[in-house]
Amino acid sequence: MSYFKNNKNRWCVGVATSVLSLCLTGAGISEGRAQSAEPRVLPPVSVDAPQQRARTTRVAPPRATAPRTARVTPRQTAERPPAPVAPPTMGSTRTIGAPAPAYAGGQVAQGGTLGLLGATSVMNTPFSTVNYTSELIENQQARTAADTLINDASVRTSTGSNGFDDTFVIRGFPVNATDVGLNGLYGLSSSQRIPAQIIERIELLKGPGALINGIAPGGTVGGAINIVTKRATETDFSRLTPFFMSAASYGLHLETSRRFGANKEWGVRFNGVGRNGEASIDDGNFRSGLGALAIDYRGERFRWTLDAISQNDDTDNFRPQISLLSTLTSIPAAPDARSNWYPGTKLRQRDNTIATAAEYDLTDWLTAYAGIGYRDGTNDQTFPSSAVAVNALGNFTVQNNYYDSYTKTVSGNAGFRSQFDTGFINHKVNVAYTGFYQEAGNAYIQGNRAASNIYNPSPLPSITLPRTDPRLASESTLTSVAIADTMSVLNESVLLTLGVRRQNVKVDSFSTITGAFTNGYDASATTPLAGIVVKPWHNVSLYANYAEGLTRGTIVGAGYDNVGDVLAPYKSKQQEAGVKVDWGLITTTAAVFQIARPSQIRTAGGTLGSLAYDGEQRNRGVELNAYGLILPSLRGMVSATFIKPELTNPSDPTQRGNDAAGVPDKTFSAGLDWDTPWVRGLALNGRVIYTSGSYLTTANTVKFPEWTRLDIGARYTTTALTGKPVTFRANIENVTGENYWLTTGTYVTVGAPRTYLLSAAFDF
């Protein structure tokens, strides 16, 4: 518990904020409850009508007194404003207000915000999208966004829990944690992982999102992830949740939500989390402190939000990643998932974000909006690497290093959303500007080497050179101007979306030793989008789209001979078609897609090889999804993805038509959540995640084994203990204790071990 003592100020600030929120609203709680209760006792009634009837009966003295006494209380009550309701967003020109309502079963939402296309329903979107709710996140006891996103078969992670970060793979292409949006803006979320406690919605768009969301700073191609942070709810509450995670990690989550004002126009929500203890690595320790404050205002025409988030993580012995020899003729067995082949590593991560957004309804059909945020993040870490990669027996040469880094990011947008008719055609037009600036620096200090083995690791060798502060390595400026118009006819039976974005990418690279400018480029490109939705019936949507993505060139990081170089920007292209059917309580979707982009390889020669482009990777696939309420007490979701990750133009002609390295051709995810009939408040859940084998290299000679993970859980909610809801949750992830590789080719880690999760949420 020394971490908590050393960070007493952080805890005090979080607790003080929560207590202040409770105290300020204590006096108004009973009135708020009365206002919310009165409409149930007395439905909305016109005030004028009772007065007119009373006046007409005053000439009859025997009747005059009774009506007056009978109407005094109702008349005073009726003059109070009705219980406030958050302004709806889906289908309007707003994005600040009530998120899209949950679909049957409560695990996913009926729609979400989709960047340039605004807030729209899944059935009206010409893309494959999923919007996960906070209810699902809580019931599965997710720690980060990654724990929820793997419910979709098109999403996998290439890093395990308690690793350096959460790196996703969507439709066979990597999506770094740096490319996860926060309320529609890139670069403001943690560059490592998004804590589940701040999330209201996880919005997943599959396919290039350059026109929808602007250029992703890390080069996302396969899809886009947007985090919608929690806001104050219509019902005030405070909740205290102690939790435990094996092997011996304990924590406490404090959450409070309050709304203020005559019409509840002001809202405050706070989340504070502290945890400490061994998580999923032997002899490891994970200490974390999180404070997130969200304030919002919603007036008749003006709406405003503010988010302040501080996330501080310290990890001893984090989950390692390592390189395997590309010449292997067999894959070594995955070591114990709790092992660490780099014993003695340390990782210190700090992220602080402040962001604000506002929108104003200039007219009933035109809304102006703007948002801006700033994030300051640092990483100080021991960064071992395999100077000689792992062979079939698990032997390798370890080189110990320091790799410390920082980023300072400013991200924003501004624009106008409108909705109007021209004849029989309805238009939803959005004109937007996005801007992103990031200064990044690092210090890479190389240490000594030693022989080691992944099954019997040696202590890390020493680092004799002095540790230095990070220095400027790059400056990136991404700007764009875009316009999109969704035209609909026949009561939204046909929707055609056309859009275009003009994007500029400016990247400068600097020597971290001398500070001198070393490389850079300033390039612009235009990326179009076209999408169509046809509804032959009101519950059936046939859709197709063509989209292009622009990716800034990769800034080559540590581990390559050409570290510091900036590769050229490139375009990616997607074609997709599909069908969505809403059966009332269950929605099913099917899609076929193709995404093409340049391949990246590690070239031979030198000490470590260089990062370079090599031909094109074309992923063709089929996605099948279903979610909803199977029975009145049974919720479920299932998805399957089949991909052919083909190399279409490699420099080695013998590899033409081969599969790209590290991309599985089949993935499945399925989950059920069941309210038991024999115990009121008891629910059981389970989840199965399957990933087929993928190739070690593009030569397609050696393949990783497939793996399957089983998760189970239960929860029980009762009011018998305190008179208010108390929810107990217990989950086991990786029930069978499988050891398996997570891979993007030759760069690998192991999945998390069997993990026990326990929590108890007390409302007060």
Side-chain angles (χ1 to χ4, degrees):
M1 300 300 291
S2 61
Y3 172 76
F4 293 148
K5 294 178 181 178
N6 295 336
N7 294 273
K8 182 171 63 178
N9 291 338
R10 192 184 316 152
W11 276 86
C12 290
V13 170
V15 173
T17 305
S18 303
V19 172
L20 180 61
S21 177
L22 291 171
C23 293
L24 288 175
T25 57
I29 291 177
S30 59
E31 180 181 356
R33 289 175 178 168
Q35 290 178 350
S36 63
E38 282 170 355
R40 293 193 291 269
V41 177
L42 183 69
V45 178
S46 171
V47 177
D48 293 336
Q51 292 175 343
Q52 292 173 356
R53 289 196 297 269
R55 287 171 182 166
T56 58
T57 59
R58 284 179 185 171
V59 291
R63 299 180 57 191
T65 303
R68 284 185 180 178
T69 56
R71 296 178 186 272
V72 169
T73 301
R75 284 174 59 186
Q76 291 176 349
T77 302
E79 291 173 357
R80 291 183 180 178
V85 177
T89 57
M90 194 170 67
S92 71
T93 57
R94 311 178 185 96
T95 59
I96 299 176
Y103 186 70
Q107 297 181 319
V108 300
Q110 297 178 24
T113 55
L114 201 60
L116 196 63
L117 302 187
T120 184
S121 73
V122 169
M123 299 299 290
N124 287 351
T125 303
F127 295 95
S128 181
T129 61
V130 184
N131 305 277
Y132 295 109
T133 67
S134 57
E135 178 180 342
L136 174 68
I137 295 170
E138 292 170 359
N139 288 338
Q140 292 185 340
Q141 295 204 80
R143 280 79 67 207
T144 71
D147 298 320
T148 299
L149 284 162
I150 57 175
N151 285 292
D152 192 291
S154 289
V155 183
R156 288 295 181 260
T157 59
S158 60
T159 53
S161 62
N162 292 109
F164 175 76
D165 65 4
D166 286 341
T167 299
F168 305 95
V169 179
I170 304 178
R171 287 185 170 176
F173 291 109
V175 177
N176 297 325
T178 55
D179 285 355
V180 176
L182 186 75
N183 296 321
L185 295 177
Y186 284 125
L188 301 183
S189 61
S190 168
S191 61
Q192 281 72 47
R193 58 188 61 84
I194 313 298
Q197 291 84 359
I198 70 171
I199 301 174
E200 181 62 36
R201 293 278 195 275
I202 303 178
E203 299 174 338
L204 171 65
L205 166 68
K206 288 174 274 189
L211 187 131
I212 299 297
N213 299 296
I215 309 171
T220 288
V221 170
I225 301 167
N226 182 54
I227 301 299
V228 179
T229 54
K230 291 179 177 178
R231 301 270 174 249
T233 60
E234 301 307 303
T235 303
D236 294 345
F237 73 90
S238 294
R239 183 172 299 136
L240 190 65
T241 307
F243 57 87
F244 164 84
M245 184 176 77
S246 62
S249 179
Y250 301 86
L252 190 65
H253 175 202
L254 173 64
E255 183 172 17
T256 181
S257 174
R258 293 288 181 268
R259 298 211 71 87
F260 305 88
N263 293 306
K264 302 285 187 179
E265 58 269 25
W266 288 96
V268 177
R269 190 158 182 175
F270 173 80
N271 280 274
V273 182
R275 68 189 312 159
N276 186 24
E278 182 180 317
S280 61
I281 299 290
D282 283 333
D283 299 322
N285 190 264
F286 178 63
R287 302 170 300 281
S288 178
L290 168 70
L293 179 66
I295 302 173
D296 71 278
Y297 173 83
R298 58 190 198 206
E300 184 178 353
R301 289 188 176 273
F302 178 71
R303 294 166 297 281
W304 169 79
T305 64
L306 175 71
D307 287 280
I309 304 170
S310 180
Q311 182 177 344
N312 306 302
D313 299 337
D314 290 317
T315 309
D316 295 336
N317 288 317
F318 58 89
R319 186 167 299 281
Q321 294 175 278
I322 203 166
S323 294
L324 303 183
L325 284 173
S326 60
T327 56
L328 287 175
T329 57
S330 63
I331 303 293
D336 189 312
R338 289 186 54 81
S339 65
N340 178 16
W341 48 75
Y342 297 141
T345 54
K346 293 183 180 297
L347 174 61
R348 182 177 182 271
Q349 299 169 317
R350 299 289 182 265
D351 277 291
N352 295 286
T353 296
I354 186 164
T356 186
E359 57 185 26
Y360 183 77
D361 298 332
L362 299 172
T363 68
D364 292 338
W365 55 271
L366 180 62
T367 297
Y369 65 91
I372 191 169
Y374 172 78
R375 174 184 159 270
D376 189 327
T378 62
N379 299 301
D380 299 329
Q381 64 174 320
T382 312
F383 187 74
S385 60
S386 50
V388 178
V390 178
N391 66 17
L393 299 177
N395 297 318
F396 69 100
T397 299
V398 60
Q399 176 176 303
N400 200 10
N401 314 290
Y402 292 132
Y403 186 58
D404 301 336
S405 62
Y406 76 87
T407 54
K408 298 178 184 295
T409 306
V410 177
S411 184
N413 62 11
F416 296 91
R417 300 187 202 92
S418 61
Q419 185 170 333
F420 56 89
D421 296 332
T422 56
F424 62 91
I425 302 175
N426 176 262
H427 297 264
K428 293 181 180 179
V429 178
N430 191 354
V431 179
Y433 167 84
T434 63
F436 173 95
Y437 170 80
Q438 184 174 87
E439 174 190 325
N442 64 69
Y444 183 59
I445 310 298
Q446 292 183 329
N448 296 317
R449 298 182 178 186
S452 190
N453 183 280
I454 59 175
Y455 307 113
N456 185 25
S458 302
L460 289 177
S462 62
I463 304 175
T464 56
L465 294 175
R467 195 168 192 167
T468 60
D469 292 331
R471 298 185 63 182
L472 177 65
S474 65
E475 291 181 339
S476 302
T477 303
L478 315 176
T479 58
S480 69
V481 178
I483 183 171
D485 183 7
T486 297
M487 297 163 278
S488 62
V489 297
L490 302 176
N491 195 25
E492 296 190 336
S493 293
V494 179
L495 301 97
L496 176 64
T497 299
L498 299 175
V500 64
R501 187 183 289 269
R502 181 65 176 176
Q503 306 185 89
N504 179 260
V505 182
K506 184 177 186 297
V507 178
D508 293 327
S509 177
F510 302 88
S511 168
T512 57
I513 299 175
T514 66
F517 173 82
T518 57
N519 201 349
Y521 60 80
D522 188 343
S524 297
T526 300
T527 53
L529 175 144
I532 187 169
V533 176
V534 178
K535 297 181 177 179
W537 300 276
H538 70 91
N539 65 321
V540 177
S541 295
L542 308 175
Y543 75 94
N545 68 66
Y546 172 81
E548 291 185 2
L550 178 65
T551 300
R552 76 172 191 178
T554 303
I555 302 172
V556 182
Y560 294 93
D561 288 335
N562 59 335
V563 59
D565 285 359
V566 182
L567 305 185
Y570 58 85
K571 281 188 177 183
S572 57
K573 299 179 181 181
Q574 171 179 274
Q575 298 87 37
E576 179 182 356
V579 57
K580 308 173 186 179
V581 182
D582 184 349
W583 303 91
L585 297 178
I586 297 175
T587 290
T588 57
T589 68
V592 294
F593 64 87
Q594 173 180 293
I595 305 174
R597 53 151 269 187
S599 299
Q600 290 186 353
I601 63 169
R602 183 188 295 267
T603 61
T607 303
L608 301 172
S610 298
L611 186 67
Y613 297 137
D614 177 40
E616 181 183 75
Q617 178 181 337
R618 183 182 64 197
N619 289 4
R620 287 176 170 171
V622 177
E623 293 173 336
L624 305 173
N625 293 269
Y627 55 80
L629 197 60
I630 303 170
L631 295 172
S633 59
L634 183 63
R635 297 160 289 279
M637 59 178 67
V638 61
S639 60
T641 301
F642 306 89
I643 294 180
K644 171 61 177 174
E646 185 178 359
L647 303 177
T648 60
N649 189 28
S651 57
D652 183 352
T654 65
Q655 295 186 6
R656 185 180 181 90
N658 281 6
D659 284 0
V663 182
D665 58 358
K666 295 183 292 294
T667 52
F668 304 101
S669 295
L672 292 174
D673 192 289
W674 178 46
D675 296 324
T676 63
W678 55 80
V679 179
R680 182 179 178 88
L682 176 64
L684 307 176
N685 61 75
R687 179 171 65 177
V688 177
I689 300 167
Y690 167 82
T691 301
S692 68
S694 59
Y695 286 106
L696 174 70
T697 67
T698 55
N700 289 185
T701 55
V702 183
K703 206 170 191 179
F704 287 92
E706 63 184 12
W707 59 268
T708 302
R709 191 182 107 184
L710 172 64
D711 303 337
I712 61 173
R715 68 181 178 277
Y716 176 65
T717 302
T718 179
T719 58
L721 297 178
T722 64
K724 291 190 176 182
V726 179
T727 301
F728 299 93
R729 294 183 174 92
N731 293 75
I732 306 175
E733 296 181 349
N734 192 6
V735 173
T736 58
E738 298 295 318
N739 296 320
Y740 55 90
W741 291 113
L742 297 175
T743 176
T744 55
T746 58
Y747 200 53
V748 299
T749 186
V750 290
R754 181 188 297 113
T755 304
Y756 300 93
L757 303 164
L758 300 172
S759 68
F762 296 87
D763 283 13
F764 61 93

